[in-house]
């Protein structure tokens, strides 16, 4: 603590005239911390803290001076900061939109902490976070939120209002944190404060920064970030709709798209509680990682976008403007991957080595088959695991090993609550069930109509629960013996005063793969 205080003094003692000196004379406006605070990536001895200085968040520079600005951070055991345990300081740089990422180490396992930032005479809101239990601890419980898909225009973030006040340890956000697309006027509940140019080739870093900032100005989203640590997984809309690896159908010039991806990744990093070692280099950003929750659970955050193979087929074989696949032989190619070979191997090896009671694969979309059967043959979703069947078979083979029991895949993307069985051979309904899957509905984005939703369920008997008509999140209560999943929902569209209810509750029992409907209370 003394060393951190000395570092703080040195920051302010730097000569003001030096070219690289912080702008120590800067007096912050009252709304400098307009985007709030957040924490993430909790481990037994560390957690990541985030904020961004932006008194004018919708301006290109956030209303900040074009110089580095000193920021002090504090971590305490109490909300009044009478019991400080860690303090420090760093410089918020204009090249990274004056964002702050602090990976605070040396913390105690399984503890709740409070944190805040100070700069230019102003103080941030207070955030609350926690560390994971010690790796060898027999943790009795993990309560986690699974959330995804928060199109600002499609509705309000009432789900985040409820999440902020819930007794949970962790928020797992599995993609589509922002939407770069615009809804038709008749579907718009509230307009985006910032809109992107019509041509994707014109998307800039300033656009992505303004878009992220406009989402963060939502008070319910800020509250959910301040209340709990988050683990982040991205999907497509953080960059561009349905992009795959280094290719995008709406911007076929690969180099131009990689420039757009670099801007999107940079803004994503600048606005979320991610470890400093994830800072992107050009269009590349390391996202996948592994987390432990004592001996109770192990979680792998998996990147299904950056390394996936491109989309295949066109014309009649890709109906619904390329959203679906029909009789697309190219999708069956054995080398096609959602994760890339390196990440596939990393995940398979991690699963095989895990000794935790529960293994959670945290990724962006639905793993279970979701094709719709028609008289002319099955139709698959072109942007999900159905379009990468060989990759799904390899994942199921890694899970099906006798030494990898009690695996639960978690996902989002498809705007529906799903509880599903996962089989060793996804194409063979008689093959053994080897894992469970829970998919969350969207925070606000619209789901399928009931006709198509029921058609989907009737085509796939392993989808035990499918509801697309409500928005919300899934609450996971993990104990050594079982995982209880409560699907929370509210009708679409989400209004400012919407309240959520429990749509259904499912249970996954230790040693028995596949969810079942919970017994009536």
């Amino acid at each position: 603590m003394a060393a951190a205080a000395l570092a703080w003094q040195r920051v302010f003692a730097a000569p003001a005239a030096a070219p690289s000196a912080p702008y120590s004379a800067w007096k912050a406006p009252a709304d400098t911390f307009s985007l709030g605070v957040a924490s993430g990536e909790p481990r037994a001895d560390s957690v990541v803290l985030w904020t961004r200085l932006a008194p004018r968040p919708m301006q290109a520079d956030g209303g900040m001076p074009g110089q580095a600005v000193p920021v002090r951070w504090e971590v305490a055991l109490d909300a009044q900061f009478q019991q400080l345990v860690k303090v420090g300081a760093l410089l918020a740089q204009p090249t990274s939109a004056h964002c702050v990422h602090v990976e605070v180490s040396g913390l105690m396992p399984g503890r709740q902490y409070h944190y805040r930032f100070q700069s230019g005479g102003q103080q941030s809101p207070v955030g609350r976070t926690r560390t994971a239990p010690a790796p060898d601890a027999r943790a009795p419980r993990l309560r986690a939120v699974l959330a995804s898909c928060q199109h600002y225009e499609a509705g309000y973030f009432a789900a985040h209002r409820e999440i902020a006040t819930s007794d949970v340890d962790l928020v797992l956000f599995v993609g589509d944190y922002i939407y770069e697309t615009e809804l038709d006027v008749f579907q718009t509940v509230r307009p985006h404060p910032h809109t992107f140019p019509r041509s994707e080739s014109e998307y800039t870093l300033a656009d992505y920064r303004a878009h992220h900032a406009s989402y963060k100005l939502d008070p319910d989203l800020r509250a959910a970030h301040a209340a709990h640590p988050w683990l982040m997984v991205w999907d497509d809309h953080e960059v561009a709709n349905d992009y795959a690896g280094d290719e995008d159908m709406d911007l076929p010039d690969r180099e131009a798209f990689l420039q757009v991806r670099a801007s999107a990744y940079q803004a994503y990093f600048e606005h979320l509680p991610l470890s400093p070692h994830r800072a992107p280099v050009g269009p590349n950003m390391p996202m996948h990682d592994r987390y432990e929750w004592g001996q109770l659970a192990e979680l792998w955050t998996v990147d299904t976008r950056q390394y996936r193979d491109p989309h295949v087929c066109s014309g009649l074989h890709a109906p619904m403007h390329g959203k679906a696949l029909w009789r697309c032989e190219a999708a069956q190619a054995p080398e096609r991957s959602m994760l890339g070979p390196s990440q596939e191997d990393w995940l398979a090896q991690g699963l095989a080595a895990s000794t935790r009671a529960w293994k959670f694969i945290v990724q962006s979309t639905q793993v279970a088959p979701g094709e719709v059967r028609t008289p002319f043959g099955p139709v698959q979703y072109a942007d999900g695991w159905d379009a990468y069947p060989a990759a799904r078979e390899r994942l199921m083979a890694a899970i099906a090993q006798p030494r990898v029991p009690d695996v639960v895949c978690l996902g989002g993307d498809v705007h529906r609550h799903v509880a599903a069985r996962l089989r060793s051979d996804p194409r063979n309904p008689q093959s053994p069930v080897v894992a469970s899957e829970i998919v969350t509905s969207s925070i606000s984005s619209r789901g399928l109509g009931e006709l198509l939703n029921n058609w989907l369920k009737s085509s796939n008997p392993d989808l035990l629960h499918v509801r697309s008509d409500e928005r919300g999140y899934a609450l996971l209560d993990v104990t050594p013996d079982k995982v209880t999943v409560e699907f929370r929902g509210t009708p679409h569209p989400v209004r400012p005063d919407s309240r959520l209810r429990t749509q259904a509750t499912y249970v996954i029992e230790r040693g028995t793969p596949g969810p079942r409907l919970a017994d009536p209370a």
Side-chain angles (χ1 to χ4, degrees):
M1 186 167 175
L6 180 60
W8 174 250
Q9 292 169 3
R10 285 174 177 166
V11 166
F12 278 100
S20 59
Y23 195 53
S24 55
W26 177 65
K27 298 300 181 185
D31 51 0
T32 292
F33 293 98
S34 62
L35 303 182
V37 299
S39 69
E41 304 193 19
R43 301 188 187 275
D45 63 348
S46 68
V47 70
V48 173
L49 308 181
W50 170 91
T51 193
R52 180 190 165 201
L53 311 183
R56 301 291 180 267
M58 300 305 293
Q59 293 182 13
D61 61 1
M64 291 293 293
Q67 300 184 47
V69 171
V71 181
R72 174 184 169 93
W73 55 268
E74 299 176 339
V75 177
L77 291 174
D78 64 309
Q80 293 72 39
F81 290 81
Q82 298 299 307
Q83 302 177 63
L84 285 172
V85 295
K86 294 282 180 179
V87 300
L90 46 69
L91 298 178
Q93 301 286 350
T95 52
S96 55
H98 292 95
C99 70
V100 174
H101 296 82
V102 183
E103 193 154 15
V104 183
S105 59
L107 300 176
M108 293 177 287
R111 292 295 298 267
Q112 179 175 280
Y113 291 95
H114 295 81
Y115 63 95
R116 65 187 179 187
F117 300 89
Q118 298 171 0
S119 186
Q122 295 296 326
Q123 188 165 280
S124 75
V126 174
R128 182 181 62 196
T129 190
R130 68 170 55 249
T131 51
D136 60 351
R138 298 290 177 184
R141 193 181 196 189
L142 166 63
R143 285 174 59 83
V145 161
L146 179 66
S148 166
C149 300
Q150 50 189 33
H151 198 310
Y152 186 97
E153 291 188 313
Y156 289 83
F157 294 165
H160 282 306
R161 183 180 64 237
E162 180 174 289
I163 291 167
T165 59
S166 297
D167 178 19
V168 299
D169 303 304
L170 190 60
V171 174
L172 307 172
F173 196 89
V174 292
D176 291 344
Y177 188 89
I178 63 169
Y179 276 71
E180 88 295 0
T181 53
E182 306 298 322
L183 294 176
D184 293 330
V185 173
F186 70 91
Q187 295 178 316
T188 299
V189 176
R190 53 174 181 170
H192 271 139
H194 165 269
T195 57
F196 280 86
R198 285 184 174 272
S199 172
E200 190 179 314
S201 64
E202 299 175 9
Y203 290 7
T204 66
L205 177 57
D207 283 314
Y208 284 106
R209 283 174 171 168
H211 218 64
H212 272 280
S214 67
Y215 276 57
K216 278 290 198 310
L217 290 174
D218 182 280
D220 294 324
L221 178 56
R222 289 201 311 276
H225 270 298
H228 314 293
W230 287 40
L231 286 182
M232 306 296 303
V233 169
W234 57 25
D235 197 24
D236 55 334
H237 285 289
E238 289 87 350
V239 179
N241 185 36
D242 290 350
Y243 86 94
D246 59 4
E247 294 191 14
D248 181 46
M249 292 182 290
D250 293 329
L251 185 56
D253 183 329
R254 179 178 176 274
E255 292 305 316
F257 172 67
L258 286 178
Q259 290 179 15
V260 169
R261 196 176 90 170
S263 295
Y265 284 6
Q266 177 67 26
Y268 183 88
F269 174 77
E270 291 171 350
H271 289 84
L272 291 166
L274 304 169
S275 170
H277 80 261
R278 300 199 194 286
V281 177
N284 303 303
M285 184 172 167
M287 281 293 289
H288 59 284
D289 212 331
R290 181 184 69 89
Y291 301 86
E292 300 168 341
W293 199 264
Q295 288 293 306
L296 179 63
E298 198 158 356
L299 303 95
W300 288 265
T301 50
V302 178
D303 181 353
T304 64
R305 279 292 163 187
Q306 188 171 188
Y307 311 112
R308 74 160 68 183
D309 285 317
H311 296 292
V312 290
C313 291
S314 59
L316 290 176
H317 298 290
M320 298 174 63
H321 304 286
K323 292 286 187 183
L325 293 179
W326 176 68
R327 296 184 179 178
C328 175
E329 291 299 323
Q332 309 299 320
E335 69 275 9
R336 281 174 55 74
S337 177
M338 281 276 278
L339 311 181
S342 177
Q343 190 180 194
E344 279 191 15
D345 292 344
W346 164 81
L347 179 57
Q349 292 168 11
L351 288 168
S354 178
T355 60
R356 267 69 190 181
W358 295 97
K359 297 91 177 167
F360 293 99
I361 300 174
V362 186
Q363 50 85 59
S364 62
T365 191
Q366 179 179 308
V367 176
E371 65 185 25
V372 174
R373 297 174 187 170
T374 77
F376 309 101
V379 177
Q380 292 96 13
Y381 176 39
D383 197 48
W385 283 94
D386 279 349
Y388 299 80
R392 181 168 56 194
E393 289 173 10
R394 289 192 295 272
L395 176 59
M396 292 301 103
I399 293 172
Q401 302 302 315
R403 61 185 181 278
V404 191
D406 304 308
V407 174
V408 182
C409 289
L410 303 176
D413 174 51
V414 290
H415 307 172
R416 56 180 176 260
H417 281 321
V418 175
R421 296 182 291 239
L422 296 175
R423 297 185 181 273
S424 59
D425 181 355
R427 306 188 203 199
N428 179 3
Q430 304 305 315
S431 65
V433 176
V434 296
S436 308
E437 181 169 33
I438 300 298
V439 179
T440 181
S441 185
S442 57
I443 292 291
S444 58
S445 307
R446 185 174 185 169
L448 296 175
E450 279 304 285
L451 178 62
L452 186 54
N453 185 71
N454 291 333
W455 193 2
L456 173 74
K457 187 175 181 180
S458 66
S459 298
N460 299 277
D462 282 328
L463 301 183
L464 306 178
H465 179 80
V466 185
R467 285 282 297 272
S468 293
D469 59 321
E470 293 190 331
R471 317 278 60 85
Y473 66 94
L475 176 63
L476 282 66
D477 192 346
V478 184
T479 65
D481 297 327
K482 64 183 179 181
V483 177
T484 303
V485 181
E486 188 177 343
F487 292 117
R488 301 284 293 167
T490 191
H492 174 83
V494 184
R495 302 297 183 184
D497 58 349
S498 291
R499 294 292 183 267
L500 284 77
R501 64 176 187 85
T502 297
Q503 181 186 102
T505 303
Y506 276 75
V507 173
I508 304 167
E509 295 173 332
R510 183 90 177 271
T512 306
R516 65 168 177 81
L517 190 63
D519 297 329

